[in-house]
Amino acid sequence: MRKFYLVLLSAFLMYPLMAQKSVKTDKHVVYQMMFHLWGNQNTDVKRNGSATENGVTKFRDVSAKGLQTLKKKGYSHLYTTGILEHATMEDFSAFGSPLDHPQVVKGRAGSPFAIKDYYDVNPFLAVKPAERMQEFSAMLDRVHQADLKLVLDFVPNHLARVYHSDQKPAGVVDFGQNDNKDLSFSPSNNFYYLPGTQFTIPTGVNPPVPVTVPYIEIPAKVSGNNVFSAQPSIHDWFETVKLNYGVDLQHGNQTHFDPIPDTWLKMTDVLVYWTKKGVDGFRCDMAEMVPVEFWAYAIPKVKALNPDVVFIAEIYNPQEYRNYIFKGGFDYLYDKVGLYDGIRHIMEKKSGATTADITRVWQQESGDFANHMLRFLENHDETRLNSRGFAASNFWSTIPGMVLTASMHDGPLMIYFGQEFGEKAQEIEGFNEADDRTTMFDFYRVDTHQRWLNGGKFDGGKLTAAEKEIDSFYSELLVWINSSEMIQKGKFFDLQYAQNAAYPKDKVYAYLRYTDKGRNLIICNFDSENHDFNIEIPTLALEMMGIKSYTLKTFKSFAPPAAQASKVEGNRIQIPSNSAIVISL
């Protein structure tokens, strides 16, 4: 039995061995910026305010000083959500950008995922809209000068209901321009159609600006979330149109990939265009709604230009993880359905939620390619940690989950701006209605982040004492994972199976991270109670680490303010509630 377990565990542990053959690390720290909000320092905002009224980030706001501060905090990549030009209720027709119809735009700012020009950036992000591309390029230069990399949002599955590129290179034909609209599906079409119909605005759509002319779309195009209805629901992605990659969705998903579909060629050209501009990576929205064969076609062409460009897939189907990495060519995938959901369920005290959900992730989902999994506890789609809907407004209960997310394996970590200050996202912005998420669709402020900006000083001067403590926790966490060889590229060993009956296995999770040069035991207590127990290090783990004996010594602890100190006496561990301890051995 022991021999069987050794063989099984070795299979799960093989991936770090491969990682150590190269100096390259996958332990990047990605910082997600909701770009139009990130640099806005206007505190005088109103519901459904315009960009002029409420303020909006300008490319110049991402200053050298701000970038140096982010680099010092420990970030390596800036994932900038909402830079590509999308449909909006702002009027920039004087600068070549056609006015969008407000009934097919979500919020005054619009959805960052309803792209209206893949070759342009949002005019409202520029001080001089006519010079927006120059201002973007200048910002990109500053990013690189700060030794940071910029990841652009790439939205391949859908675009705005009305697409028009005024910045496309010579010879490029707009999406849909040459489509045969009499056909519901054709491999040479860019869109799917509902012949003989007219698009109807969903019930309940009430834009905050006047509607002077009706929106006309004949025939109706299929909406972005595969809704084959001329009148989608207000809860659908009604503001977007599904792109056609040669898959006949109405006839058993039959594929038509030979010859190469026109959409493949157009989208590859977009990726090549931004790569040549100097962009360092792409976070690919709803990547699994696009056939993996496209990615296998497009990604190598981009990597041929720059092999260091990273591709991150938003994906929610674990059955497709291996396919999108090893066939599609993605560097990293969202670990939402596995680790995020498991940790969140424990923190929310969901019925039946235990640390066994964490073990299941590496055993059954991604253990042999965990270095490809991008992990997080916040992003723009999920509720804020320090909210009623997640941590019940008790930020410090998130410590064990955040430490585990950052250190369990050697894949990348993502932090969402404002997360590091305990942002609660409780304001009614406009389209967003205080739903524990920071708005994507409105021009607004992010309170804690603004106070960290502190008028461009980037020093957190206006944060509260509690928010500064939260920031200190994140800073210490990032310093640790960026400086630790064990976290950067070490092997992993799950200790849960080896513990005795007195060990609180449902609420405490223990694991090893180790290299030939060092070893860490990490224990995370998700419980609201303190725990006192003996930790067992099995013989198998000692053999894997190449040691015969050990002494446990506290290296680092992460705990809520005023918590009792962790103690390590021999193999006896005393760990306070909602905390994590790192022990050297």
Side-chain angles (χ1 to χ4, degrees):
M1 183 66 180
R2 179 178 174 277
K3 182 177 180 181
F4 171 78
Y5 187 86
L6 178 60
V7 172
L8 177 64
L9 188 62
S10 296
F12 285 122
L13 296 175
M14 189 176 296
Y15 74 95
L17 295 175
M18 294 186 290
Q20 291 191 80
K21 291 180 181 179
S22 169
V23 296
K24 176 182 178 293
T25 178
D26 292 302
K27 184 56 77 177
H28 309 301
V29 183
V30 180
Y31 178 69
Q32 183 184 2
M33 311 160 74
M34 185 57 64
F35 198 83
H36 74 287
L37 302 176
W38 188 87
N40 181 27
Q41 298 184 46
N42 183 19
T43 59
D44 184 17
V45 293
K46 67 179 185 179
R47 184 182 181 187
N48 288 317
S50 67
T52 301
E53 293 167 327
N54 282 5
V56 63
T57 304
K58 303 298 181 183
F59 290 120
R60 70 179 181 188
D61 294 330
V62 185
S63 66
K65 184 172 185 178
L67 291 165
Q68 290 162 5
T69 304
L70 294 175
K71 179 66 177 180
K72 186 177 180 180
K73 276 178 167 285
Y75 300 112
S76 58
H77 292 67
L78 308 181
Y79 159 33
T80 53
T81 305
I83 283 184
L84 292 188
E85 187 180 11
H86 60 257
T88 178
M89 294 184 192
E90 300 293 291
D91 185 358
F92 288 96
S93 54
F95 302 97
S97 180
L99 184 64
D100 298 296
H101 198 284
Q103 288 184 311
V104 286
V105 177
K106 288 182 177 177
R108 283 295 292 260
S111 169
F113 305 104
I115 305 299
K116 67 184 286 186
D117 188 348
Y118 282 105
Y119 292 99
D120 203 356
V121 297
N122 278 309
F124 54 70
L125 299 175
V127 175
K128 296 181 179 180
E131 300 175 11
R132 54 192 181 272
M133 284 301 295
Q134 294 95 314
E135 292 187 31
F136 166 79
S137 295
M139 181 197 70
L140 182 58
D141 287 343
R142 292 193 297 275
V143 169
H144 291 159
Q145 289 164 10
D147 192 27
L148 290 162
K149 296 183 182 299
L150 188 137
V151 176
L152 200 65
D153 239 324
F154 176 58
V155 188
N157 177 67
H158 49 270
L159 41 64
R161 293 216 81 90
V162 178
Y163 181 90
H164 174 80
S165 175
D166 60 296
Q167 294 293 318
K168 59 183 178 289
V172 172
V173 177
D174 274 352
F175 288 89
Q177 184 173 322
N178 293 333
D179 280 7
N180 182 343
K181 299 179 182 179
D182 294 328
L183 299 176
S184 176
F185 168 79
S186 169
S188 58
N189 280 354
N190 297 136
F191 302 136
Y192 299 89
Y193 296 92
L194 300 169
T197 68
Q198 177 172 336
F199 181 81
T200 302
I201 302 297
T203 302
V205 172
N206 297 298
V209 300
V211 176
T212 56
V213 295
Y215 174 73
I216 305 297
E217 180 181 305
I218 303 174
K221 296 189 281 289
V222 172
S223 295
N225 56 330
N226 298 356
V227 173
F228 282 74
S229 171
Q231 186 178 20
S233 161
I234 193 172
H235 303 295
D236 289 318
W237 305 348
F238 70 86
E239 82 282 17
T240 69
V241 173
K242 172 76 175 181
L243 279 163
N244 170 10
Y245 283 81
V247 180
D248 191 347
L249 298 175
Q250 291 182 295
H251 294 91
N253 293 326
Q254 294 178 15
T255 59
H256 301 262
F257 298 158
D258 187 11
I260 297 298
D262 183 67
T263 302
W264 289 28
L265 303 175
K266 282 183 165 66
M267 279 303 192
T268 303
D269 286 346
V270 170
L271 291 168
V272 167
Y273 173 83
W274 289 105
T275 300
K276 289 181 176 179
K277 286 281 187 186
V279 166
D280 303 291
F282 300 93
R283 178 270 187 188
C284 301
D285 185 72
M286 296 308 298
E288 66 184 307
M289 294 183 75
V290 173
V292 70
E293 290 84 357
F294 164 74
W295 299 112
Y297 170 84
I299 290 177
K301 295 185 182 302
V302 174
K303 298 263 189 181
L305 295 173
N306 180 1
D308 294 327
V309 168
V310 297
F311 279 83
I312 302 170
E314 180 190 20
I315 183 169
Y316 300 106
N317 181 4
Q319 301 304 314
E320 290 293 330
Y321 285 176
R322 192 176 298 276
N323 206 21
Y324 275 73
I325 294 170
F326 299 108
K327 181 177 180 181
F330 276 96
D331 298 287
Y332 309 112
L333 312 181
Y334 269 36
D335 195 351
K336 193 274 179 190
V337 173
L339 193 65
Y340 171 92
D341 281 352
I343 290 175
R344 177 163 185 165
H345 291 163
I346 296 170
M347 291 174 57
E348 290 183 304
K349 299 178 172 61
K350 294 281 190 183
S351 177
T354 74
T355 58
D357 294 333
I358 299 169
T359 296
R360 182 191 59 79
V361 170
W362 72 263
Q363 282 187 339
Q364 300 179 25
E365 285 186 5
S366 57
D368 57 335
F369 51 84
N371 60 313
H372 289 285
M373 302 308 292
L374 174 76
R375 287 171 171 161
F376 52 83
L377 284 184
E378 278 195 13
N379 65 40
H380 64 274
D381 282 321
E382 311 303 336
T383 53
R384 289 286 192 174
L385 277 166
N386 196 20
S387 67
R388 298 164 299 182
F390 200 144
S393 299
N394 175 17
F395 170 80
W396 297 109
S397 69
T398 67
I399 286 179
M402 197 63 236
V403 171
L404 187 141
T405 297
S407 66
M408 182 177 168
H409 287 118
D410 54 350
L413 170 70
M414 184 167 72
I415 306 290
Y416 189 35
F417 85 120
Q419 175 181 346
E420 70 274 45
F421 315 121
E423 174 61 37
K424 295 182 179 181
Q426 285 304 301
E427 297 189 68
I428 298 175
E429 300 111 328
F431 189 87
N432 247 51
E433 297 290 322
D435 64 351
D436 296 341
R437 296 173 177 85
T438 291
T439 185
M440 291 186 281
F441 311 104
D442 305 287
F443 296 109
Y444 215 74
R445 66 180 178 188
V446 178
D447 178 51
T448 55
H449 177 74
Q450 276 192 336
R451 289 187 281 109
W452 173 75
L453 287 176
N454 194 19
K457 295 179 182 178
F458 303 96
D459 62 0
K462 294 182 180 179
L463 294 173
T464 66
E467 290 161 352
K468 288 178 180 178
E469 287 182 320
I470 296 171
D471 188 24
S472 293
F473 160 67
Y474 274 92
S475 295
E476 185 179 359
L477 179 67
L478 296 189
V479 166
W480 172 50
I481 68 169
N482 280 324
S483 61
S484 170
E485 182 182 47
M486 287 160 280
I487 304 303
Q488 289 281 315
K489 57 182 181 179
K491 305 180 188 72
F492 164 81
F493 193 106
D494 187 323
L495 290 172
Q496 294 295 95
Y497 84 98
Q499 305 312 305
N500 59 42
Y503 174 80
K505 65 178 181 178
D506 288 348
K507 298 296 183 182
V508 174
Y509 189 80
Y511 53 104
L512 298 166
R513 295 298 311 280
Y514 61 96
T515 66
D516 294 338
K517 299 178 181 178
R519 296 159 294 279
N520 277 165
L521 162 63
I522 304 169
I523 304 174
C524 299
N525 179 14
F526 290 88
D527 204 355
S528 55
E529 301 292 333
N530 302 339
H531 283 289
D532 186 335
F533 52 85
N534 284 335
I535 193 76
E536 303 292 336
I537 311 292
T539 302
L540 175 60
L542 299 180
E543 291 175 354
M544 298 293 289
M545 293 187 291
I547 61 175
K548 294 182 179 179
S549 62
Y550 62 89
T551 300
L552 301 183
K553 183 179 179 180
T554 302
F555 172 72
K556 185 179 292 293
S557 63
F558 299 96
Q564 72 175 47
S566 299
K567 291 183 180 180
V568 178
E569 297 176 348
N571 276 39
R572 183 185 173 205
I573 308 295
Q574 291 179 299
I575 184 170
S577 63
N578 300 135
S579 64
I581 183 171
V582 183
I583 301 167
S584 61
L585 69 163

